[in-house]
Amino acid sequence: MPFSGLTKFGSAFLSKFECSQMPNPLLQHITFVDTPGVLSGEKQRTQRSYDFTGVTEWFAAKCDLILLLFDPHKLDISDEFKRVIGSLRGHDDKIRVVLNKADQVDTQQLMRVYGALMWSLGKVLNTPEVMRVYIGSFNDKPINDRAVGPIGKELFEREQEDLLSDLKDIPRKACDRRINEFVKRARAAKIHAYIIGHLRKEMPAMMGKVKVQQRLIDNLEDEFAKIQREHHLPAGDFPNVEHFRDVLTGYNFDKFEKLKPKMIQAVDDMLGYDIPNLLKKFRNPYD
């Protein structure tokens, strides 16, 4: 099972993590991961015994598709759900939104619910692109015709077909997604090398190392801007400033490795030549 990386979240998480294997042909190609319900209201005050957002982020980096489920009667996005959605940043192409149990409201109410959902998601995701939202009642029960009417029923059936085709495409495009994920990690590693090399170079040789390190951490956003301008790097490839700042506090910058241009060039050559040559050996999954 490819879940050994989850041991870093401790026994508090592992004691709640369960796997189930079923003899189904579909499950030979796809693994479904179901998260526990996101806390809302008074329950948010009760802290989980493990890093729920961190676990979600771990799975998001390794999965092919992320489904965010909403209920027409519970559209409010709680603080915990905001943190979870925030942890999915950088994986926007994988996210799909599902408005489930939509046959419990009539067509007029559904239009209002859909508008409210898009408005709420726009505030949380903070992106100009509109997310793909599947509307329907995704269960084994017949659609409630009295609530949705004939137009709603036809819409739900089409939406269900679109969602199923999206799921069926996962094995077919798995190779393409893995290469894309590899490229994304390689670019992130390159940016990381530039950041570490820059912080190491800014450290003094003798006196005042503690003060300089603290100043670099406090002004990390400005340091990122310097690195971006100096090496002509895209701003979208840089990590989250706050998260990176929290991680840096546990390290001594003076012991960081110096930037090695030859290794950076090797990564650039791999991205510019090796990956395109590798892709030529595979059939285009979009044909």
Side-chain angles (χ1 to χ4, degrees), residues 107-155:
T107 308
Q108 187 178 14
Q109 287 176 312
L110 184 58
M111 289 174 65
R112 291 173 184 164
V113 166
Y114 180 81
L117 176 60
M118 298 304 289
W119 182 79
S120 300
L121 285 172
K123 288 180 67 180
V124 176
L125 290 167
N126 198 22
T127 174
E129 288 85 10
V130 177
M131 302 300 299
R132 175 66 169 98
V133 179
Y134 297 99
I135 303 170
S137 183
F138 301 96
N139 54 42
D140 55 357
K141 296 177 182 178
I143 296 169
N144 184 1
D145 295 336
R146 286 182 297 176
V148 298
I151 298 175
K153 185 178 180 181
E154 185 182 350
L155 171 70

mmCIF file of all heavy atoms in Angstrom, residues 107-155:
data_model
loop_
_atom_site.group_PDB
_atom_site.id
_atom_site.type_symbol
_atom_site.label_atom_id
_atom_site.label_comp_id
_atom_site.label_asym_id
_atom_site.label_seq_id
_atom_site.Cartn_x
_atom_site.Cartn_y
_atom_site.Cartn_z
ATOM 1 N N THR A 107 -36.515 24.259 -8.870
ATOM 2 C CA THR A 107 -35.623 24.895 -9.850
ATOM 3 C C THR A 107 -35.251 26.314 -9.440
ATOM 4 O O THR A 107 -34.095 26.730 -9.549
ATOM 5 C CB THR A 107 -36.293 24.915 -11.242
ATOM 6 O OG1 THR A 107 -36.744 23.594 -11.563
ATOM 7 C CG2 THR A 107 -35.311 25.384 -12.300
ATOM 8 N N GLN A 108 -36.215 27.086 -8.952
ATOM 9 C CA GLN A 108 -35.964 28.470 -8.561
ATOM 10 C C GLN A 108 -34.974 28.530 -7.392
ATOM 11 O O GLN A 108 -34.028 29.327 -7.399
ATOM 12 C CB GLN A 108 -37.276 29.153 -8.181
ATOM 13 C CG GLN A 108 -37.119 30.649 -7.931
ATOM 14 C CD GLN A 108 -38.452 31.320 -7.608
ATOM 15 O OE1 GLN A 108 -39.433 30.637 -7.319
ATOM 16 N NE2 GLN A 108 -38.491 32.633 -7.660
ATOM 17 N N GLN A 109 -35.179 27.685 -6.393
ATOM 18 C CA GLN A 109 -34.275 27.642 -5.253
ATOM 19 C C GLN A 109 -32.879 27.161 -5.672
ATOM 20 O O GLN A 109 -31.864 27.648 -5.167
ATOM 21 C CB GLN A 109 -34.835 26.711 -4.174
ATOM 22 C CG GLN A 109 -36.021 27.285 -3.423
ATOM 23 C CD GLN A 109 -36.588 26.270 -2.437
ATOM 24 O OE1 GLN A 109 -36.812 25.112 -2.783
ATOM 25 N NE2 GLN A 109 -36.816 26.710 -1.210
ATOM 26 N N LEU A 110 -32.848 26.213 -6.635
ATOM 27 C CA LEU A 110 -31.571 25.674 -7.098
ATOM 28 C C LEU A 110 -30.712 26.757 -7.742
ATOM 29 O O LEU A 110 -29.487 26.786 -7.560
ATOM 30 C CB LEU A 110 -31.824 24.537 -8.099
ATOM 31 C CG LEU A 110 -30.583 23.792 -8.617
ATOM 32 C CD1 LEU A 110 -29.790 23.188 -7.475
ATOM 33 C CD2 LEU A 110 -31.001 22.708 -9.605
ATOM 34 N N MET A 111 -31.343 27.646 -8.489
ATOM 35 C CA MET A 111 -30.612 28.763 -9.109
ATOM 36 C C MET A 111 -29.983 29.648 -8.039
ATOM 37 O O MET A 111 -28.829 30.077 -8.149
ATOM 38 C CB MET A 111 -31.551 29.589 -9.987
ATOM 39 C CG MET A 111 -31.973 28.881 -11.269
ATOM 40 S SD MET A 111 -33.212 29.834 -12.186
ATOM 41 C CE MET A 111 -32.275 31.292 -12.630
ATOM 42 N N ARG A 112 -30.735 29.917 -6.966
ATOM 43 C CA ARG A 112 -30.213 30.746 -5.862
ATOM 44 C C ARG A 112 -29.071 30.033 -5.142
ATOM 45 O O ARG A 112 -28.065 30.645 -4.790
ATOM 46 C CB ARG A 112 -31.325 31.069 -4.879
ATOM 47 C CG ARG A 112 -32.374 32.014 -5.446
ATOM 48 C CD ARG A 112 -33.539 32.161 -4.489
ATOM 49 N NE ARG A 112 -34.614 32.991 -5.044
ATOM 50 C CZ ARG A 112 -35.829 33.034 -4.568
ATOM 51 N NH1 ARG A 112 -36.161 32.282 -3.525
ATOM 52 N NH2 ARG A 112 -36.737 33.812 -5.108
ATOM 53 N N VAL A 113 -29.259 28.725 -4.917
ATOM 54 C CA VAL A 113 -28.238 27.928 -4.229
ATOM 55 C C VAL A 113 -26.951 27.895 -5.043
ATOM 56 O O VAL A 113 -25.857 28.075 -4.505
ATOM 57 C CB VAL A 113 -28.758 26.482 -3.983
ATOM 58 C CG1 VAL A 113 -27.619 25.560 -3.585
ATOM 59 C CG2 VAL A 113 -29.826 26.486 -2.903
ATOM 60 N N TYR A 114 -27.084 27.707 -6.362
ATOM 61 C CA TYR A 114 -25.914 27.650 -7.240
ATOM 62 C C TYR A 114 -25.157 28.985 -7.208
ATOM 63 O O TYR A 114 -23.926 29.014 -7.110
ATOM 64 C CB TYR A 114 -26.356 27.324 -8.671
ATOM 65 C CG TYR A 114 -25.219 27.234 -9.664
ATOM 66 C CD1 TYR A 114 -24.452 26.083 -9.756
ATOM 67 C CD2 TYR A 114 -24.915 28.304 -10.501
ATOM 68 C CE1 TYR A 114 -23.406 25.992 -10.666
ATOM 69 C CE2 TYR A 114 -23.872 28.228 -11.409
ATOM 70 C CZ TYR A 114 -23.123 27.068 -11.486
ATOM 71 O OH TYR A 114 -22.084 26.993 -12.376
ATOM 72 N N GLY A 115 -25.897 30.084 -7.283
ATOM 73 C CA GLY A 115 -25.268 31.413 -7.228
ATOM 74 C C GLY A 115 -24.547 31.644 -5.909
ATOM 75 O O GLY A 115 -23.423 32.163 -5.887
ATOM 76 N N ALA A 116 -25.195 31.247 -4.801
ATOM 77 C CA ALA A 116 -24.585 31.420 -3.474
ATOM 78 C C ALA A 116 -23.329 30.570 -3.333
ATOM 79 O O ALA A 116 -22.327 31.006 -2.748
ATOM 80 C CB ALA A 116 -25.595 31.044 -2.389
ATOM 81 N N LEU A 117 -23.366 29.354 -3.894
ATOM 82 C CA LEU A 117 -22.203 28.467 -3.826
ATOM 83 C C LEU A 117 -21.023 29.055 -4.594
ATOM 84 O O LEU A 117 -19.891 29.063 -4.097
ATOM 85 C CB LEU A 117 -22.575 27.096 -4.387
ATOM 86 C CG LEU A 117 -21.442 26.066 -4.479
ATOM 87 C CD1 LEU A 117 -20.853 25.776 -3.104
ATOM 88 C CD2 LEU A 117 -21.932 24.772 -5.123
ATOM 89 N N MET A 118 -21.266 29.553 -5.801
ATOM 90 C CA MET A 118 -20.190 30.139 -6.605
ATOM 91 C C MET A 118 -19.606 31.365 -5.921
ATOM 92 O O MET A 118 -18.392 31.592 -5.956
ATOM 93 C CB MET A 118 -20.717 30.510 -8.001
ATOM 94 C CG MET A 118 -21.211 29.331 -8.818
ATOM 95 S SD MET A 118 -19.964 28.040 -9.036
ATOM 96 C CE MET A 118 -18.839 28.851 -10.144
ATOM 97 N N TRP A 119 -20.453 32.159 -5.289
ATOM 98 C CA TRP A 119 -19.975 33.346 -4.583
ATOM 99 C C TRP A 119 -19.084 32.951 -3.404
ATOM 100 O O TRP A 119 -18.015 33.531 -3.207
ATOM 101 C CB TRP A 119 -21.183 34.156 -4.098
ATOM 102 C CG TRP A 119 -20.812 35.428 -3.398
ATOM 103 C CD1 TRP A 119 -20.426 36.606 -3.963
ATOM 104 C CD2 TRP A 119 -20.783 35.642 -1.977
ATOM 105 N NE1 TRP A 119 -20.154 37.543 -2.979
ATOM 106 C CE2 TRP A 119 -20.368 36.977 -1.755
ATOM 107 C CE3 TRP A 119 -21.063 34.831 -0.874
ATOM 108 C CZ2 TRP A 119 -20.229 37.521 -0.482
ATOM 109 C CZ3 TRP A 119 -20.927 35.374 0.394
ATOM 110 C CH2 TRP A 119 -20.519 36.695 0.590
ATOM 111 N N SER A 120 -19.520 31.953 -2.633
ATOM 112 C CA SER A 120 -18.737 31.490 -1.476
ATOM 113 C C SER A 120 -17.399 30.908 -1.915
ATOM 114 O O SER A 120 -16.357 31.195 -1.307
ATOM 115 C CB SER A 120 -19.508 30.429 -0.687
ATOM 116 O OG SER A 120 -20.720 30.940 -0.202
ATOM 117 N N LEU A 121 -17.408 30.093 -2.964
ATOM 118 C CA LEU A 121 -16.170 29.487 -3.459
ATOM 119 C C LEU A 121 -15.213 30.533 -4.005
ATOM 120 O O LEU A 121 -13.998 30.427 -3.835
ATOM 121 C CB LEU A 121 -16.487 28.463 -4.556
ATOM 122 C CG LEU A 121 -17.068 27.130 -4.083
ATOM 123 C CD1 LEU A 121 -17.511 26.311 -5.285
ATOM 124 C CD2 LEU A 121 -16.048 26.356 -3.266
ATOM 125 N N GLY A 122 -15.760 31.551 -4.673
ATOM 126 C CA GLY A 122 -14.924 32.627 -5.214
ATOM 127 C C GLY A 122 -14.142 33.342 -4.121
ATOM 128 O O GLY A 122 -12.988 33.714 -4.313
ATOM 129 N N LYS A 123 -14.785 33.535 -2.962
ATOM 130 C CA LYS A 123 -14.115 34.205 -1.841
ATOM 131 C C LYS A 123 -13.020 33.328 -1.237
ATOM 132 O O LYS A 123 -11.965 33.816 -0.838
ATOM 133 C CB LYS A 123 -15.132 34.560 -0.760
ATOM 134 C CG LYS A 123 -16.059 35.705 -1.145
ATOM 135 C CD LYS A 123 -17.045 36.014 -0.036
ATOM 136 C CE LYS A 123 -16.356 36.578 1.189
ATOM 137 N NZ LYS A 123 -17.306 36.893 2.282
ATOM 138 N N VAL A 124 -13.269 32.028 -1.152
ATOM 139 C CA VAL A 124 -12.317 31.110 -0.504
ATOM 140 C C VAL A 124 -11.163 30.763 -1.429
ATOM 141 O O VAL A 124 -9.996 30.814 -1.034
ATOM 142 C CB VAL A 124 -13.037 29.819 -0.049
ATOM 143 C CG1 VAL A 124 -12.043 28.832 0.539
ATOM 144 C CG2 VAL A 124 -14.115 30.142 0.971
ATOM 145 N N LEU A 125 -11.473 30.413 -2.680
ATOM 146 C CA LEU A 125 -10.436 29.994 -3.622
ATOM 147 C C LEU A 125 -9.612 31.163 -4.143
ATOM 148 O O LEU A 125 -8.468 30.989 -4.553
ATOM 149 C CB LEU A 125 -11.071 29.248 -4.800
ATOM 150 C CG LEU A 125 -11.639 27.865 -4.469
ATOM 151 C CD1 LEU A 125 -12.519 27.370 -5.609
ATOM 152 C CD2 LEU A 125 -10.523 26.874 -4.214
ATOM 153 N N ASN A 126 -10.202 32.357 -4.142
ATOM 154 C CA ASN A 126 -9.496 33.572 -4.557
ATOM 155 C C ASN A 126 -8.869 33.406 -5.941
ATOM 156 O O ASN A 126 -7.683 33.665 -6.150
ATOM 157 C CB ASN A 126 -8.416 33.928 -3.522
ATOM 158 C CG ASN A 126 -7.950 35.367 -3.660
ATOM 159 O OD1 ASN A 126 -8.673 36.204 -4.219
ATOM 160 N ND2 ASN A 126 -6.752 35.668 -3.188
ATOM 161 N N THR A 127 -9.651 32.930 -6.894
ATOM 162 C CA THR A 127 -9.176 32.742 -8.259
ATOM 163 C C THR A 127 -10.212 33.267 -9.240
ATOM 164 O O THR A 127 -11.412 33.133 -8.997
ATOM 165 C CB THR A 127 -8.892 31.245 -8.535
ATOM 166 O OG1 THR A 127 -8.563 31.075 -9.915
ATOM 167 C CG2 THR A 127 -10.084 30.369 -8.218
ATOM 168 N N PRO A 128 -9.775 33.892 -10.356
ATOM 169 C CA PRO A 128 -10.745 34.430 -11.313
ATOM 170 C C PRO A 128 -11.434 33.350 -12.138
ATOM 171 O O PRO A 128 -12.510 33.574 -12.685
ATOM 172 C CB PRO A 128 -9.881 35.330 -12.216
ATOM 173 C CG PRO A 128 -8.504 34.772 -12.114
ATOM 174 C CD PRO A 128 -8.386 34.229 -10.707
ATOM 175 N N GLU A 129 -10.802 32.157 -12.235
ATOM 176 C CA GLU A 129 -11.400 31.078 -13.019
ATOM 177 C C GLU A 129 -12.591 30.470 -12.266
ATOM 178 O O GLU A 129 -12.539 30.299 -11.052
ATOM 179 C CB GLU A 129 -10.377 29.976 -13.315
ATOM 180 C CG GLU A 129 -9.319 30.367 -14.326
ATOM 181 C CD GLU A 129 -8.165 31.108 -13.692
ATOM 182 O OE1 GLU A 129 -8.103 31.152 -12.442
ATOM 183 O OE2 GLU A 129 -7.339 31.664 -14.429
ATOM 184 N N VAL A 130 -13.632 30.138 -13.017
ATOM 185 C CA VAL A 130 -14.824 29.537 -12.421
ATOM 186 C C VAL A 130 -14.604 28.031 -12.285
ATOM 187 O O VAL A 130 -14.167 27.377 -13.226
ATOM 188 C CB VAL A 130 -16.071 29.820 -13.294
ATOM 189 C CG1 VAL A 130 -17.298 29.137 -12.706
ATOM 190 C CG2 VAL A 130 -16.297 31.320 -13.424
ATOM 191 N N MET A 131 -14.900 27.485 -11.096
ATOM 192 C CA MET A 131 -14.741 26.056 -10.872
ATOM 193 C C MET A 131 -15.868 25.284 -11.577
ATOM 194 O O MET A 131 -16.967 25.789 -11.739
ATOM 195 C CB MET A 131 -14.795 25.737 -9.376
ATOM 196 C CG MET A 131 -13.749 26.446 -8.527
ATOM 197 S SD MET A 131 -12.075 26.070 -9.010
ATOM 198 C CE MET A 131 -12.042 24.323 -8.757
ATOM 199 N N ARG A 132 -15.560 24.052 -11.995
ATOM 200 C CA ARG A 132 -16.576 23.184 -12.596
ATOM 201 C C ARG A 132 -17.433 22.602 -11.482
ATOM 202 O O ARG A 132 -16.927 21.966 -10.566
ATOM 203 C CB ARG A 132 -15.900 22.062 -13.389
ATOM 204 C CG ARG A 132 -16.881 21.018 -13.967
ATOM 205 C CD ARG A 132 -17.787 21.650 -15.022
ATOM 206 N NE ARG A 132 -18.544 20.655 -15.773
ATOM 207 C CZ ARG A 132 -19.802 20.315 -15.525
ATOM 208 N NH1 ARG A 132 -20.454 20.857 -14.521
ATOM 209 N NH2 ARG A 132 -20.415 19.434 -16.288
ATOM 210 N N VAL A 133 -18.738 22.863 -11.539
ATOM 211 C CA VAL A 133 -19.663 22.383 -10.520
ATOM 212 C C VAL A 133 -20.642 21.385 -11.153
ATOM 213 O O VAL A 133 -21.312 21.705 -12.136
ATOM 214 C CB VAL A 133 -20.454 23.549 -9.872
ATOM 215 C CG1 VAL A 133 -21.432 23.022 -8.841
ATOM 216 C CG2 VAL A 133 -19.514 24.560 -9.244
ATOM 217 N N TYR A 134 -20.683 20.183 -10.598
ATOM 218 C CA TYR A 134 -21.634 19.166 -11.048
ATOM 219 C C TYR A 134 -22.872 19.242 -10.155
ATOM 220 O O TYR A 134 -22.762 19.155 -8.933
ATOM 221 C CB TYR A 134 -21.029 17.768 -10.968
ATOM 222 C CG TYR A 134 -19.839 17.565 -11.867
ATOM 223 C CD1 TYR A 134 -18.549 17.655 -11.374
ATOM 224 C CD2 TYR A 134 -20.004 17.286 -13.222
ATOM 225 C CE1 TYR A 134 -17.446 17.465 -12.195
ATOM 226 C CE2 TYR A 134 -18.916 17.095 -14.059
ATOM 227 C CZ TYR A 134 -17.640 17.194 -13.536
ATOM 228 O OH TYR A 134 -16.548 17.011 -14.362
ATOM 229 N N ILE A 135 -24.023 19.391 -10.780
ATOM 230 C CA ILE A 135 -25.274 19.492 -10.028
ATOM 231 C C ILE A 135 -26.067 18.202 -10.206
ATOM 232 O O ILE A 135 -26.225 17.723 -11.320
ATOM 233 C CB ILE A 135 -26.119 20.685 -10.521
ATOM 234 C CG1 ILE A 135 -25.320 21.983 -10.416
ATOM 235 C CG2 ILE A 135 -27.405 20.804 -9.728
ATOM 236 C CD1 ILE A 135 -25.973 23.168 -11.091
ATOM 237 N N GLY A 136 -26.554 17.642 -9.117
ATOM 238 C CA GLY A 136 -27.361 16.438 -9.245
ATOM 239 C C GLY A 136 -27.656 15.794 -7.913
ATOM 240 O O GLY A 136 -27.419 16.370 -6.851
ATOM 241 N N SER A 137 -28.184 14.591 -7.997
ATOM 242 C CA SER A 137 -28.452 13.798 -6.801
ATOM 243 C C SER A 137 -27.743 12.465 -7.009
ATOM 244 O O SER A 137 -28.260 11.575 -7.687
ATOM 245 C CB SER A 137 -29.962 13.594 -6.629
ATOM 246 O OG SER A 137 -30.234 12.896 -5.440
ATOM 247 N N PHE A 138 -26.542 12.378 -6.483
ATOM 248 C CA PHE A 138 -25.663 11.252 -6.796
ATOM 249 C C PHE A 138 -25.845 10.127 -5.776
ATOM 250 O O PHE A 138 -25.066 9.962 -4.843
ATOM 251 C CB PHE A 138 -24.209 11.738 -6.846
ATOM 252 C CG PHE A 138 -23.991 12.814 -7.870
ATOM 253 C CD1 PHE A 138 -24.006 14.154 -7.502
ATOM 254 C CD2 PHE A 138 -23.807 12.495 -9.205
ATOM 255 C CE1 PHE A 138 -23.822 15.153 -8.444
ATOM 256 C CE2 PHE A 138 -23.624 13.489 -10.161
ATOM 257 C CZ PHE A 138 -23.629 14.818 -9.780
ATOM 258 N N ASN A 139 -26.921 9.386 -5.974
ATOM 259 C CA ASN A 139 -27.172 8.202 -5.153
ATOM 260 C C ASN A 139 -27.962 7.197 -5.989
ATOM 261 O O ASN A 139 -28.248 7.447 -7.165
ATOM 262 C CB ASN A 139 -27.912 8.575 -3.855
ATOM 263 C CG ASN A 139 -29.190 9.351 -4.121
ATOM 264 O OD1 ASN A 139 -29.944 9.022 -5.036
ATOM 265 N ND2 ASN A 139 -29.434 10.399 -3.337
ATOM 266 N N ASP A 140 -28.316 6.080 -5.391
ATOM 267 C CA ASP A 140 -29.005 5.026 -6.147
ATOM 268 C C ASP A 140 -30.531 5.177 -6.130
ATOM 269 O O ASP A 140 -31.255 4.304 -6.614
ATOM 270 C CB ASP A 140 -28.608 3.641 -5.610
ATOM 271 C CG ASP A 140 -28.849 3.519 -4.106
ATOM 272 O OD1 ASP A 140 -29.272 4.531 -3.499
ATOM 273 O OD2 ASP A 140 -28.604 2.434 -3.549
ATOM 274 N N LYS A 141 -31.026 6.282 -5.588
ATOM 275 C CA LYS A 141 -32.474 6.503 -5.540
ATOM 276 C C LYS A 141 -32.931 7.274 -6.776
ATOM 277 O O LYS A 141 -32.168 8.059 -7.342
ATOM 278 C CB LYS A 141 -32.847 7.287 -4.271
ATOM 279 C CG LYS A 141 -32.536 6.531 -2.985
ATOM 280 C CD LYS A 141 -32.863 7.393 -1.772
ATOM 281 C CE LYS A 141 -32.500 6.663 -0.474
ATOM 282 N NZ LYS A 141 -32.749 7.491 0.717
ATOM 283 N N PRO A 142 -34.178 7.105 -7.209
ATOM 284 C CA PRO A 142 -34.676 7.865 -8.365
ATOM 285 C C PRO A 142 -34.775 9.354 -8.043
ATOM 286 O O PRO A 142 -34.980 9.745 -6.889
ATOM 287 C CB PRO A 142 -36.063 7.256 -8.627
ATOM 288 C CG PRO A 142 -36.456 6.618 -7.338
ATOM 289 C CD PRO A 142 -35.178 6.159 -6.689
ATOM 290 N N ILE A 143 -34.616 10.190 -9.080
ATOM 291 C CA ILE A 143 -34.662 11.643 -8.902
ATOM 292 C C ILE A 143 -36.074 12.083 -8.539
ATOM 293 O O ILE A 143 -37.060 11.580 -9.090
ATOM 294 C CB ILE A 143 -34.187 12.351 -10.190
ATOM 295 C CG1 ILE A 143 -32.710 12.014 -10.453
ATOM 296 C CG2 ILE A 143 -34.372 13.856 -10.106
ATOM 297 C CD1 ILE A 143 -32.216 12.436 -11.824
ATOM 298 N N ASN A 144 -36.177 13.017 -7.626
ATOM 299 C CA ASN A 144 -37.467 13.538 -7.166
ATOM 300 C C ASN A 144 -38.036 14.470 -8.239
ATOM 301 O O ASN A 144 -37.731 15.660 -8.284
ATOM 302 C CB ASN A 144 -37.271 14.285 -5.839
ATOM 303 C CG ASN A 144 -38.589 14.770 -5.257
ATOM 304 O OD1 ASN A 144 -39.668 14.539 -5.817
ATOM 305 N ND2 ASN A 144 -38.509 15.455 -4.132
ATOM 306 N N ASP A 145 -38.887 13.924 -9.147
ATOM 307 C CA ASP A 145 -39.424 14.700 -10.277
ATOM 308 C C ASP A 145 -40.312 15.854 -9.824
ATOM 309 O O ASP A 145 -40.367 16.902 -10.472
ATOM 310 C CB ASP A 145 -40.237 13.789 -11.208
ATOM 311 C CG ASP A 145 -39.366 12.739 -11.877
ATOM 312 O OD1 ASP A 145 -38.157 12.990 -11.993
ATOM 313 O OD2 ASP A 145 -39.892 11.674 -12.269
ATOM 314 N N ARG A 146 -41.019 15.689 -8.735
ATOM 315 C CA ARG A 146 -41.949 16.732 -8.283
ATOM 316 C C ARG A 146 -41.212 18.007 -7.896
ATOM 317 O O ARG A 146 -41.726 19.109 -8.063
ATOM 318 C CB ARG A 146 -42.761 16.218 -7.095
ATOM 319 C CG ARG A 146 -43.838 15.191 -7.490
ATOM 320 C CD ARG A 146 -44.643 14.756 -6.294
ATOM 321 N NE ARG A 146 -43.815 14.070 -5.307
ATOM 322 C CZ ARG A 146 -44.260 13.652 -4.125
ATOM 323 N NH1 ARG A 146 -45.517 13.878 -3.777
ATOM 324 N NH2 ARG A 146 -43.458 13.025 -3.298
ATOM 325 N N ALA A 147 -40.002 17.871 -7.393
ATOM 326 C CA ALA A 147 -39.250 19.045 -6.958
ATOM 327 C C ALA A 147 -38.540 19.732 -8.122
ATOM 328 O O ALA A 147 -38.574 20.954 -8.243
ATOM 329 C CB ALA A 147 -38.225 18.646 -5.900
ATOM 330 N N VAL A 148 -37.901 18.942 -9.003
ATOM 331 C CA VAL A 148 -37.045 19.532 -10.035
ATOM 332 C C VAL A 148 -37.743 19.738 -11.367
ATOM 333 O O VAL A 148 -37.318 20.567 -12.171
ATOM 334 C CB VAL A 148 -35.775 18.668 -10.244
ATOM 335 C CG1 VAL A 148 -34.964 18.604 -8.981
ATOM 336 C CG2 VAL A 148 -36.124 17.261 -10.709
ATOM 337 N N GLY A 149 -38.783 18.963 -11.661
ATOM 338 C CA GLY A 149 -39.471 19.084 -12.944
ATOM 339 C C GLY A 149 -38.699 18.396 -14.066
ATOM 340 O O GLY A 149 -37.597 17.904 -13.873
ATOM 341 N N PRO A 150 -39.247 18.361 -15.287
ATOM 342 C CA PRO A 150 -38.617 17.640 -16.405
ATOM 343 C C PRO A 150 -37.267 18.231 -16.820
ATOM 344 O O PRO A 150 -36.343 17.513 -17.183
ATOM 345 C CB PRO A 150 -39.646 17.756 -17.533
ATOM 346 C CG PRO A 150 -40.506 18.928 -17.162
ATOM 347 C CD PRO A 150 -40.533 18.968 -15.669
ATOM 348 N N ILE A 151 -37.134 19.572 -16.785
ATOM 349 C CA ILE A 151 -35.872 20.219 -17.178
ATOM 350 C C ILE A 151 -34.770 19.848 -16.196
ATOM 351 O O ILE A 151 -33.648 19.520 -16.570
ATOM 352 C CB ILE A 151 -36.043 21.749 -17.258
ATOM 353 C CG1 ILE A 151 -37.063 22.109 -18.320
ATOM 354 C CG2 ILE A 151 -34.706 22.419 -17.566
ATOM 355 C CD1 ILE A 151 -37.390 23.580 -18.402
ATOM 356 N N GLY A 152 -35.125 19.868 -14.903
ATOM 357 C CA GLY A 152 -34.138 19.526 -13.872
ATOM 358 C C GLY A 152 -33.661 18.094 -13.974
ATOM 359 O O GLY A 152 -32.478 17.810 -13.811
ATOM 360 N N LYS A 153 -34.585 17.181 -14.287
ATOM 361 C CA LYS A 153 -34.222 15.771 -14.395
ATOM 362 C C LYS A 153 -33.226 15.550 -15.527
ATOM 363 O O LYS A 153 -32.230 14.836 -15.385
ATOM 364 C CB LYS A 153 -35.478 14.922 -14.627
ATOM 365 C CG LYS A 153 -35.198 13.428 -14.638
ATOM 366 C CD LYS A 153 -36.466 12.616 -14.821
ATOM 367 C CE LYS A 153 -36.141 11.122 -14.831
ATOM 368 N NZ LYS A 153 -37.343 10.294 -15.033
ATOM 369 N N GLU A 154 -33.494 16.183 -16.685
ATOM 370 C CA GLU A 154 -32.583 16.054 -17.830
ATOM 371 C C GLU A 154 -31.215 16.643 -17.491
ATOM 372 O O GLU A 154 -30.166 16.077 -17.829
ATOM 373 C CB GLU A 154 -33.182 16.784 -19.038
ATOM 374 C CG GLU A 154 -32.364 16.595 -20.315
ATOM 375 C CD GLU A 154 -32.953 17.378 -21.492
ATOM 376 O OE1 GLU A 154 -34.085 17.894 -21.361
ATOM 377 O OE2 GLU A 154 -32.264 17.462 -22.523
ATOM 378 N N LEU A 155 -31.211 17.776 -16.784
ATOM 379 C CA LEU A 155 -29.953 18.410 -16.366
ATOM 380 C C LEU A 155 -29.158 17.491 -15.443
ATOM 381 O O LEU A 155 -27.947 17.300 -15.624
ATOM 382 C CB LEU A 155 -30.256 19.737 -15.653
ATOM 383 C CG LEU A 155 -29.079 20.439 -14.969
ATOM 384 C CD1 LEU A 155 -28.104 20.986 -15.984
ATOM 385 C CD2 LEU A 155 -29.580 21.561 -14.057
#
